[in-house]
């Protein structure tokens, strides 16, 4: 692409952001059981419906958290001043959660990321106490942004709960990061959504976790990025995806058996 075309695409992307509708979660299906998602208009209902998703009264505009807020867990953990959902959905370790958005604008291209934070009681958890480990991420793969994959799949992202993590309650943090304006300073847009779950079965693994205000910085390669060129080298931000001990062991064996020859070529 010529510079002019890149600039035009960036301009159109920025323009699109001001005219296209954003979404919020529409439905959450946990191991086949449907749950009601949070709707920002719930704040006008008395009593407000009790749901597994965290509340965000400031989200009436279906808006985003911007990079200048990354240092504030009350904003970036579970959206602006998000508070814990009153309910908890039960899911087996290794089970699946389908997260459906009401809509997602095609212009808002970017990665989809999922994290878990272990908590004693998800319904009374505070965003500032959440320590997250990443369980799933997708950026730009096979010429497609994860956001486009989500749109093509009926606005739905399927998350698999690791089979080996300890049983108990967790806050699932599902996030789309829109990068259409991310070439500019403070231009990325994070749309995090939190969901209360109780994992049954499982193992004993407690992955290393990161506080929400340490997940990203404004200058991360995957945050301050112009996506209107070649996106194939896009680097997904945040900590590495947690890998189960079994996976780590297989990787270790593979490296030991296959990698040894490369690092120390045997002479014949
Ligand atoms: Cu937008």
């Amino acid at each position: 692409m010529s510079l002019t075309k890149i600039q035009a695409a960036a301009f159109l992307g920025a323009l699109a952001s001001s005219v296209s509708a954003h979404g919020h979660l529409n439905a959450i299906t946990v191991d086949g059981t449907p749950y009601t998602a949070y709707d920002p208009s719930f704040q006008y209902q008395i009593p407000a419906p009790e749901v597994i998703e965290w509340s965000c009264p400031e989200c009436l505009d279906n808006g985003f958290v911007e990079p200048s807020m990354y240092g504030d867990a009350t904003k970036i953990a579970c959206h602006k001043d998000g508070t814990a959902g009153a309910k908890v959905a039960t899911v087996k370790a290794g089970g699946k959660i389908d997260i459906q958005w009401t809509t997602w604008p095609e212009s808002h291209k970017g990665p989809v990321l999922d994290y878990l934070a272990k908590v004693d009681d998800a319904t009374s958890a505070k965003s500032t106490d959440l320590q997250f480990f990443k369980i799933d991420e997708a950026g730009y793969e096979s010429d497609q942004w994860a956001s486009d994959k989500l749109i093509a799949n009926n606005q739905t992202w399927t998350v698999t709960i690791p089979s080996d993590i300890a049983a108990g309650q967790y806050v699932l943090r599902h996030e789309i990061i829109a990068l259409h304006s991310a070439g500019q300073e403070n231009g990325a847009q994070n749309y995090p959504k939190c969901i209360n779950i109780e994992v049954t079965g499982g193992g004993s693994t407690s992955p290393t976790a990161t506080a929400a205000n340490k997940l990203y910085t404004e200058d991360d390669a995957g945050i301050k990025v112009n996506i209107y060129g070649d996106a194939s080298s896009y680097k997904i931000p945040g900590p590495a995806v947690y890998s189960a001990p079994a996976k780590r062991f297989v990787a270790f064996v593979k490296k030991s058996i296959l990698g040894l020859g490369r690092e120390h070529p045997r002479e014949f």
Side-chain angles (χ1 to χ4, degrees):
M1 255 197 281
S2 71
L3 189 63
T4 347
K5 277 185 182 165
I6 291 170
Q7 284 169 332
F11 173 73
L12 287 172
L15 193 69
S17 74
S18 60
V19 294
S20 57
H22 301 120
H24 54 262
L25 297 193
N26 186 50
I28 306 162
T29 306
V30 182
D31 266 347
T33 302
Y35 287 84
T36 304
Y38 172 77
D39 187 312
S41 70
F42 283 176
Q43 63 192 295
Y44 303 120
Q45 294 186 38
I46 300 170
E50 297 192 329
V51 294
I52 60 171
E53 188 184 339
W54 283 43
S55 298
C56 180
E58 285 189 47
C59 293
L60 280 166
D61 63 350
N62 289 333
F64 54 87
V65 179
E66 58 194 67
S68 64
M69 298 172 176
Y70 287 169
D72 184 350
T74 66
K75 306 288 187 246
I76 190 63
C78 299
H79 220 303
K80 294 173 188 164
D81 303 333
T83 55
K87 292 195 169 172
V88 182
T90 302
V91 57
K92 285 195 250 355
K96 288 192 191 320
I97 301 180
D98 299 313
I99 302 169
Q100 185 185 46
W101 291 72
T102 51
T103 183
W104 194 254
E106 209 200 321
S107 60
H108 287 37
K109 298 188 189 304
V112 176
L113 314 91
D114 295 283
Y115 299 83
L116 287 178
K118 184 89 176 70
V119 289
D120 292 330
D121 177 359
T123 63
S124 63
K126 300 271 180 290
S127 54
T128 45
D129 296 332
L130 301 176
Q131 299 274 329
F132 290 104
F133 56 96
K134 195 189 267 174
I135 58 169
D136 167 56
E137 67 178 13
Y140 188 81
E141 294 159 11
S142 311
D143 298 329
Q144 190 184 39
W145 281 102
S147 56
D148 288 325
K149 197 176 158 187
L150 180 146
I151 292 169
N153 192 34
N154 198 22
Q155 279 88 241
T156 303
W157 196 259
T158 299
V159 181
T160 301
I161 301 304
S163 55
D164 67 309
I165 56 169
Q169 297 202 355
Y170 290 83
V171 174
L172 167 64
R173 180 180 185 275
H174 169 71
E175 178 181 44
I176 306 175
I177 306 178
L179 300 172
H180 51 287
S181 302
Q184 307 160 32
E185 207 69 47
N186 204 36
Q189 304 180 350
N190 297 58
Y191 298 82
K193 303 289 178 187
C194 287
I195 298 164
N196 293 338
I197 60 170
E198 169 138 11
V199 176
T200 60
S204 56
T205 308
S206 301
T208 310
T210 308
N213 62 349
K214 303 281 187 218
L215 290 175
Y216 311 122
T217 71
E218 296 182 51
D219 300 320
D220 285 346
I223 295 294
K224 174 82 170 62
V225 57
N226 183 343
I227 61 163
Y228 300 102
D230 176 16
S232 60
S233 61
Y234 176 72
K235 190 180 179 306
I236 302 167
V241 172
Y242 143 75
S243 64
K247 267 162 71 186
R248 281 205 299 270
F249 179 71
V250 170
F252 171 77
V253 171
K254 272 188 186 163
K255 198 182 164 199
S256 306
I257 297 172
L258 305 172
L260 207 62
R262 252 173 273 140
E263 275 171 52
H264 306 282
R266 270 177 281 179
E267 291 173 4
F268 292 100

